[in-house]
Amino acid sequence: MANRLENLQRIGVFYDGNYFLKVNNFYNYEHRRRARIDISGFHEFIREEISKLTNTDRRNCQIVDAHYFRGRLPAAKIEDPNQIYNDRVFDDILMYKNVTSHYLPVRHDQQGMTQEKGIDVWLALEAYELAIYKQFDILVLVACDGDYVPLVRKLNTLGTRVMLISWDFSYFDKLGRECVTRTSQQLLEEVSYMIPMHQLVDDRVRQNDPIINNIFRQSKKQVINDTLRLIGNQETPDHASEEYNSTILSLKEGYGFIRDDEKNNVFFHSKAVQNADFRDLWEGMKVRYVCLKDNDKFVAEKVWIVR
């Protein structure tokens, strides 16, 4: 027992909440997995990676502390009541997974846009203080911002190794604008261990690796659709949404428009196509689709090619 305690790797995990939310939404809405990240599965992945990197028995790699930092609007400022409920559900998840939540009020600039200021500073101060107090062997930072470079340098002086877990990804929003997230190169150069999650998740060699797959929490509908694909059926559309039939009006790089006179034509992203490769589409092709309204524009949530 004494030998085991001597080899114990004490791990602290610190989340940049706004960044983690973007990653979660990317995998739930844009990536082919269509699933959110499961905190338990993610923490098991962290323990497994540290076990391999440090040549330590996995049982000796223990997450002794975990913290989540994010800005949050007051309830009175939230227009969508579902967001309040969803925030509470996520708070419950963090609580049951022993992750301590830290929230700062979100401010508004002169144009009325929301701004999350001070989160990175607060995370850095708490992480540094707790690294001294709890003597982490490894601090896991879930972030991508170069603002955390001073924190990493300070932790290095303590002898606390830093593992950076980050994702690089891009997608087109509902209005066809490209959104890109990239990890700071300077931050990558400062840490002891760098885990490029986007590469691991999309690595075909590890596509059946349970430690990777368990990072994601699939919905019941996704499980059913995966089963249908395995037995040779196509994914079933969401019958709760009304379906329309039309043809492709035009195609661009990564997106297109469906002819619909009543809705002033309907935008669709390449990832909305369910049963074909976007590159195989052509103008005039018959399609079936379900759509939603985003401000004054209609966007096809799912598109099926009519054979």
Side-chain angles (χ1 to χ4, degrees), residues 16 18 69-72 102-110 113-123 145 147-148:
D16 181 325
N18 186 49
F69 295 80
R70 191 187 167 203
R72 188 159 74 177
H102 305 263
Y103 293 104
L104 275 179
V106 171
R107 308 296 184 186
H108 290 82
D109 60 20
Q110 294 180 348
M113 301 295 291
T114 58
Q115 292 183 327
E116 292 193 8
K117 287 189 178 265
I119 298 298
D120 51 350
V121 175
W122 190 14
L123 187 157
D145 199 327
D147 289 346
Y148 294 110

Side-chain angles (χ1 to χ4, degrees), residues 17 20 24 37 39 68 70 85-95 101 103 217:
F20 187 70
N24 233 331
I37 295 175
I39 298 295
Y68 178 89
R70 191 187 167 203
Y85 174 78
N86 292 336
D87 286 347
R88 177 58 186 272
V89 169
F90 188 65
D91 283 345
D92 289 345
I93 292 172
L94 294 176
M95 178 177 63
S101 302
Y103 293 104
R217 173 169 46 88

